[in-house]
Amino acid sequence: MYKLLRFQELNLLRFLHSKQCQYFHSSHNSLGNSPRIYKLNRHLNGLWKSGQIDEARRVFDGMFDRDEFTWNTMVAAYAHSGRLAEAKQLFDEAPKKCSITWSSLISGFCRYGCESEGFHLFWQMQYEGHELSQFALSSILRVCSSKALLSRGEQLHALVIKTRFDSNAFVNTGLVDMYAKCDSIVEAEMIFDEMPERKSHVLWTAMITGYSHNNDGIRAIRCFRDMRAEGVEPNQYTFPSLLTACATVSARGFGGQVHGCIVRLGFEANVYVGSALVDMYAKCGDLYNARRALESVEGNDVVSWNSMVVGCVRQGLEEEALLLFKKMHAKDMDIDDFTYPSVLNSCASMKVMESAKSVHCLIVKTGYEAYKLVSNALVDVYAKGGELGSAFQVFNSMIYRDVVSWTSLITGYAYNGSYEEALKLFCQLRSEGVDPDQIVIASVLSACAELTVLEFGQQVHTNFVKFGFRSTLSVDNSLLTMYAKCGCIKDAKKVFNLMKIRDVITWTALIIGYAKNGKGKYSLALYDDMIASGIKPDFITFIGLLFACSHAGFVEQGRQYFQSMEKVYGIKAGPDHYACMIDLLGRSGKMNEAKELLNQMSVEPDSTVWKALLSACRVHKDIELAERAANALFELEPQNAMPYVMLSNIYSAAGFWENTAKIRRLMKLRGISKEPGCSWMQMNSKVHKFMSEDRSHPKTDQIYSKIDEIMMLIKEAGYVPDMNFALHDVDEEGKELGLAYHCEKLAVAFGLLFVPQGAPIRIFKNLRVCGDCHAAMKFISRVFHRHIILRDSNCFHHFREGTCSCGDYW
């Protein structure tokens, strides 16, 4: 479109100059002007055309006699060289003004972005009764086109009809261009169709460009074919828009035919045409012909090279994109703000941070750091590379930030596990009045899922609906995952049911969600629906399935899924799959089969496998195998307290107090501290944290009083404290008190006090819930008629009317 506008400007200048020359000759012949004025005017005109404006002014100032041509020439010279103040001054001093004088000044103001002044002069010209010209109309229409000023363009159209310029080809071309640029392609077509049968190549080009601008590549191609059928030859201004249209609809074949036409007409070396060819081939994925077209472009055109770099990035050829950039730098090309983002995207994809830093240095050196596109790309590459400090530093130094800037940073923090910081940045984004986009919404929902902050996630969901965003697969998947990970499996299913498009991530998220919420049967049924819908499972899908089987005790189904992975879908089992299978076999009491599977593993067992085995040993009190698993974990994760604590618990449960003490001494010797058990609740956007036997909460007195009431009522209902989970070597009364003041019991007491009746009590715990607390929660849910949702480190437990969703199999 820019090339077309430039073409129209050149045409306008030619017309104005021709009219000026016609006036010059006619005035000299008819008025009998002296040969001296005639000669000086010719000299003045020649100086303007050669760009010697100051020399022309010296000649002008030295002329004692000046006619209209003299004044018009100097006004046009200043106006079209951008010296608008001097043009306006001479315009005001001119003793007589004709339509050429006005048109020259209006054209100058419009050309250099002073649209307000241009419009003011245009209306003043009419107000003072000067005859309207096609040149003034074309100039002002060009402003409406470039600035997308549809309402003003429609007013001008009415004026065109009123003044009977609607049959003028020059003005109608401007109208077609204006409507097309303002996304009113139907109106542009109406004007185009009303024109005489023999249309100029300029008008055809305007229509082709209009279709291309409106992303209607098919109609642009048809329009070009009609143009050729009419016998009108295209030129160097027609082809760029046509090639852009070919790229829009990936019409590689037709683009090749257009290339042949370009070669035949001799435009292949033209910079604008050549860069459009490179761009067309690159966007159509034909990098071979894109390279050939690049070689044909005269000089080192940065636009052509940029198209080639972008093409390589889109095709996943990041290394080649970086190589092209290095060649551009070696050729000392004027690398611009379109080059750097593409190169930085390559660095981000390849995670080559040293190269990214080198590019950053070059950006600073060439002064492009302040460009928003470049800064956004820098934030993105550092964030994706895990260098969040550098990403924030670039972000913080930006004067102007848009939603892309915020999205790059927030997504980077979420991607690298800094979820709380991501949510804080999102809050800051909203406080600064920036409307989020769908990408940042998806990232924030993912962060909410990982932190299990349901209230915040619900607020984000509300904002998403409020802003009227169209539903996208990415947002829907993040929303589904957030609800599933926050224990709201019904809400997750509602999101799933409303989704028009589902991929393997969608199905897998809900399969895992059901499994984590104690609905293993639903996971398996959903998997069958997934296969029936034609979606193939992936690596993670089978982890979710095997987890579901493990926590529901479906041994046979688990075996079948495990075997079908490689046999049916060609997916090799990884450590996570083996861990799930060992956990499934161990929970089912098939310890020998679990040992056999461990010995037959096709990959080296990692910490997840040994942890699963150690957990199974805890359930079945297999001390010998527990020691083997724990010793393996001591080597793999020497600073992880989990195997020490679990082995200590196994010893304690078996009454091996000396071994328990030995493990504790070993932990102390190695400087390993046990992660204290902690439970928390979120209520009214505030997090309430509880530690076992903790009395730091402001409502401590009420909480402990409620605990006493709870213990009394559930004992009456049949609850018996399980002393096996009182691991301290103290008397019976001390053990019972210790069990009563476990952190999850303190949390549920707080919930019973302050969570409104009818609302679920949501509790989160950093470790697995102990057997005694699990039994107590079942009684509490029945006695107090409350729905209690407890998420421990392994899964969700939904307690209702004395039962748990896990079926006591966790």
Side-chain angles (χ1 to χ4, degrees):
M1 183 62 75
Y2 169 78
K3 299 181 184 71
L4 177 63
L5 292 174
R6 180 68 181 141
F7 178 47
Q8 291 174 333
E9 279 182 5
L10 292 172
N11 276 338
L12 177 59
L13 288 175
R14 291 191 189 103
F15 274 117
L16 285 172
H17 185 233
S18 65
K19 287 290 181 183
Q20 180 79 334
C21 290
Q22 289 173 16
Y23 172 79
F24 169 61
H25 290 295
S26 63
S27 63
H28 176 72
N29 293 332
S30 62
L31 298 176
N33 287 348
S34 68
R36 176 177 172 78
I37 293 179
Y38 178 82
K39 184 177 180 180
L40 285 172
N41 280 347
R42 285 191 65 181
H43 182 49
L44 194 68
N45 191 55
L47 291 172
W48 166 40
K49 301 312 293 182
S50 62
Q52 301 178 66
I53 310 299
D54 292 330
E55 182 62 27
R57 181 58 190 259
R58 279 193 287 273
V59 172
F60 176 83
D61 289 341
M63 294 176 68
F64 294 105
D65 295 321
R66 302 167 184 152
D67 58 14
E68 281 188 39
F69 183 89
T70 312
W71 286 93
N72 288 347
T73 299
M74 280 311 303
V75 170
Y78 277 132
H80 294 288
S81 61
R83 296 166 68 168
L84 301 178
E86 292 161 291
K88 184 65 167 62
Q89 184 180 357
L90 273 182
F91 175 84
D92 292 337
E93 293 173 1
K96 186 178 179 182
K97 304 176 183 70
C98 65
S99 63
I100 295 176
T101 323
W102 283 93
S103 297
S104 296
L105 189 64
I106 290 168
S107 176
F109 273 100
C110 292
R111 183 183 182 190
Y112 288 98
C114 301
E115 60 270 9
S116 297
E117 293 83 350
F119 273 108
H120 176 74
L121 285 167
F122 180 76
W123 299 125
Q124 187 181 350
M125 173 186 177
Q126 295 177 78
Y127 179 77
E128 293 185 11
H130 294 279
E131 184 181 355
L132 194 62
S133 72
Q134 62 178 336
F135 315 115
L137 276 169
S138 297
S139 295
I140 211 73
L141 278 170
R142 211 164 45 252
V143 173
C144 297
S145 174
S146 61
K147 301 293 182 180
L149 304 174
L150 179 59
S151 59
R152 286 197 174 187
E154 289 172 333
Q155 292 173 11
L156 287 169
H157 190 182
L159 181 63
V160 166
I161 296 170
K162 181 179 179 182
T163 53
R164 298 186 177 179
F165 273 99
D166 51 333
S167 60
N168 184 288
F170 202 68
V171 173
N172 277 319
T173 301
L175 283 170
V176 168
D177 182 56
M178 180 275 296
Y179 277 119
K181 187 64 183 292
C182 293
D183 298 333
S184 298
I185 195 67
V186 174
E187 287 78 1
E189 284 178 327
M190 290 174 63
I191 296 169
F192 179 82
D193 291 338
E194 288 172 0
M195 292 293 289
E197 289 186 4
R198 186 65 183 176
K199 301 177 178 69
S200 69
H201 70 276
V202 180
L203 185 59
W204 282 102
T205 298
M207 199 66 236
I208 291 168
T209 303
Y211 284 129
S212 181
H213 173 78
N214 284 270
N215 296 317
D216 196 340
I218 299 297
R219 288 193 179 184
I221 291 171
R222 288 175 183 168
C223 190
F224 176 75
R225 285 174 172 166
D226 293 342
M227 173 184 174
R228 298 303 308 281
E230 292 288 331
V232 180
E233 286 287 347
N235 63 9
Q236 69 268 33
Y237 300 101
T238 312
F239 290 118
S241 296
L242 179 61
L243 290 167
T244 300
C246 292
T248 302
V249 294
S250 298
R252 162 65 185 80
F254 187 80
Q257 295 176 25
V258 174
H259 189 178
C261 184
I262 289 168
V263 173
R264 183 177 62 81
L265 294 173
F267 292 123
E268 191 175 19
N270 180 275
V271 171
Y272 293 125
V273 176
S275 64
L277 271 172
V278 174
D279 184 62
M280 184 275 293
Y281 279 124
K283 285 180 178 176
C284 290
D286 187 351
L287 296 183
Y288 172 76
N289 279 304
R291 291 187 195 94
R292 290 184 61 188
L294 181 65
E295 293 168 0
S296 301
V297 179
E298 290 182 347
N300 293 319
D301 176 51
V302 70
V303 177
S304 305
W305 282 77
N306 283 348
S307 296
M308 194 70 217
V309 171
V310 171
C312 289
V313 173
R314 285 178 175 170
Q315 293 296 313
L317 302 173
E318 289 87 2
E319 290 185 17
E320 189 166 343
L322 285 176
L323 183 61
L324 282 168
F325 174 73
K326 290 175 182 177
K327 287 181 180 179
M328 291 175 72
H329 185 48
K331 288 175 177 286
D332 200 26
M333 294 174 63
D334 292 328
I335 297 170
D336 60 17
D337 55 318
F338 292 99
T339 316
Y340 288 120
S342 299
V343 175
L344 289 169
N345 286 340
S346 297
C347 295
S349 298
M350 297 170 64
K351 291 191 173 12
V352 285
M353 297 312 297
E354 289 304 315
S355 296
K357 290 174 183 176
S358 298
V359 175
H360 190 179
C361 291
L362 188 59
I363 288 168
V364 174
K365 183 180 177 181
T366 53
Y368 279 101
E369 196 173 20
Y371 284 68
K372 189 160 55 177
L373 283 175
V374 177
S375 295
N376 284 346
L378 279 170
V379 172
D380 185 63
V381 70
Y382 281 125
K384 286 180 178 175
E387 299 196 14
L388 299 178
S390 298
F392 186 79
Q393 189 175 357
V394 174
F395 176 84
N396 213 32
S397 65
M398 292 175 67
I399 299 173
Y400 302 106
R401 304 171 189 143
D402 59 10
V403 67
V404 178
S405 320
W406 287 95
T407 298
S408 297
L409 190 65
I410 292 170
T411 301
Y413 272 96
Y415 178 79
N416 287 282
S418 299
Y419 305 117
E420 290 186 23
E421 289 78 3
L423 297 190
K424 289 176 183 176
L425 283 168
F426 180 75
C427 292
Q428 188 180 343
L429 173 149
R430 298 296 296 121
S431 67
E432 293 191 13
V434 180
D435 290 336
D437 62 11
Q438 291 158 317
I439 299 173
V440 77
I441 290 288
S443 296
V444 170
L445 286 171
S446 296
C448 292
E450 296 301 324
L451 294 173
T452 60
V453 284
L454 177 61
E455 287 185 20
F456 197 100
Q458 289 172 325
Q459 291 171 16
V460 174
H461 187 185
T462 303
N463 282 332
F464 178 77
V465 175
K466 178 182 176 183
F467 288 128
F469 287 136
R470 286 175 52 197
S471 183
T472 65
L473 185 61
S474 176
V475 172
D476 285 342
N477 283 343
S478 297
L479 192 60
L480 189 158
T481 303
M482 185 274 292
Y483 279 122
K485 287 192 174 183
C486 289
C488 300
I489 197 64
K490 287 185 178 179
D491 291 321
K493 187 62 166 62
K494 285 180 183 178
V495 174
F496 178 87
N497 289 337
L498 291 172
M499 292 175 68
K500 295 179 181 178
I501 301 173
R502 301 169 185 145
D503 61 3
V504 66
I505 297 172
T506 316
W507 291 90
T508 299
L510 193 57
I511 286 170
I512 294 174
Y514 276 132
K516 290 275 187 179
N517 283 271
K519 295 181 179 289
K521 289 183 180 179
Y522 289 86
S523 292
L524 273 54
L526 191 66
Y527 174 75
D528 291 337
D529 292 340
M530 172 183 164
I531 299 302
S533 71
I535 301 292
K536 290 184 178 180
D538 63 8
F539 188 92
I540 300 173
T541 308
F542 281 104
I543 294 176
L545 278 174
L546 294 174
F547 182 91
C549 293
S550 172
H551 285 257
F554 299 150
V555 179
E556 188 55 39
Q557 292 95 321
R559 288 197 189 102
Q560 292 174 6
Y561 291 133
F562 188 76
Q563 291 169 4
S564 70
M565 281 177 58
E566 188 165 1
K567 287 182 179 180
V568 180
Y569 299 104
I571 300 172
K572 290 188 176 181
D576 289 326
H577 301 106
Y578 281 106
C580 288
M581 278 304 296
I582 288 171
D583 188 56
L584 168 59
L585 296 170
R587 286 170 178 271
S588 304
K590 302 181 185 300
M591 294 301 292
N592 291 333
E593 192 176 342
K595 293 177 192 176
E596 186 179 343
L597 183 62
L598 178 69
N599 295 330
Q600 294 175 353
M601 281 181 64
S602 58
V603 293
E604 190 70 23
D606 67 359
S607 59
T608 59
V609 175
W610 291 114
K611 286 174 185 175
L613 190 61
L614 187 58
S615 178
C617 294
R618 176 185 65 86
V619 175
H620 297 286
K621 300 178 175 60
D622 189 331
I623 295 176
E624 183 180 348
L625 190 56
E627 290 173 338
R628 179 189 170 190
N631 287 326
L633 286 167
F634 293 161
E635 292 183 12
L636 290 170
E637 298 179 353
Q639 294 302 309
N640 188 352
M642 177 267 183
Y644 295 92
V645 174
M646 193 168 284
L647 185 59
S648 174
N649 290 348
I650 292 171
Y651 283 145
S652 298
F656 294 175
W657 298 109
E658 290 184 7
N659 289 7
T660 302
K662 182 181 177 181
I663 290 293
R664 289 176 182 170
R665 286 195 299 270
L666 185 61
M667 288 180 67
K668 188 174 181 180
L669 180 65
R670 295 180 178 177
I672 299 168
S673 57
K674 174 188 174 183
E675 181 183 6
C678 172
S679 295
W680 65 93
M681 295 179 63
Q682 184 183 8
M683 193 171 67
N684 299 328
S685 300
K686 185 178 179 182
V687 175
H688 299 267
K689 187 176 178 181
F690 305 92
M691 309 287 284
S692 294
E693 302 185 35
D694 181 24
R695 294 181 179 271
S696 61
H697 195 278
K699 304 292 185 182
T700 289
D701 291 342
Q702 291 173 263
I703 290 169
Y704 275 82
S705 176
K706 190 67 176 179
I707 282 286
D708 293 339
E709 177 192 346
I710 290 169
M711 299 311 294
M712 179 185 69
L713 291 175
I714 64 175
K715 281 180 180 178
E716 290 177 0
Y719 161 74
V720 177
D722 189 341
M723 298 303 175
N724 290 322
F725 294 94
L727 302 179
H728 297 291
D729 193 9
V730 294
D731 58 30
E732 291 299 311
E733 184 179 353
K735 287 181 180 181
E736 187 171 338
L737 285 174
L739 289 172
Y741 301 145
H742 274 192
C743 59
E744 50 265 63
K745 292 193 180 82
L746 296 178
V748 79
F750 176 83
L752 290 170
L753 284 167
F754 299 107
V755 174
Q757 186 70 32
I761 299 172
R762 299 180 182 276
I763 303 169
F764 300 91
K765 186 176 180 180
N766 61 335
L767 305 175
R768 276 197 178 189
V769 61
C770 76
D772 179 73
C773 287
H774 190 273
M777 292 293 176
K778 290 196 294 182
F779 279 101
I780 294 169
S781 69
R782 178 157 58 88
V783 170
F784 290 90
H785 304 289
R786 299 299 296 266
H787 178 198
I788 302 168
I789 304 172
L790 171 62
R791 195 216 71 178
D792 66 7
S793 61
N794 199 36
C795 64
F796 277 95
H797 301 266
H798 293 258
F799 299 97
R800 292 177 185 268
E801 296 299 325
T803 63
C804 179
S805 58
C806 73
D808 299 337
Y809 198 82
W810 79 102

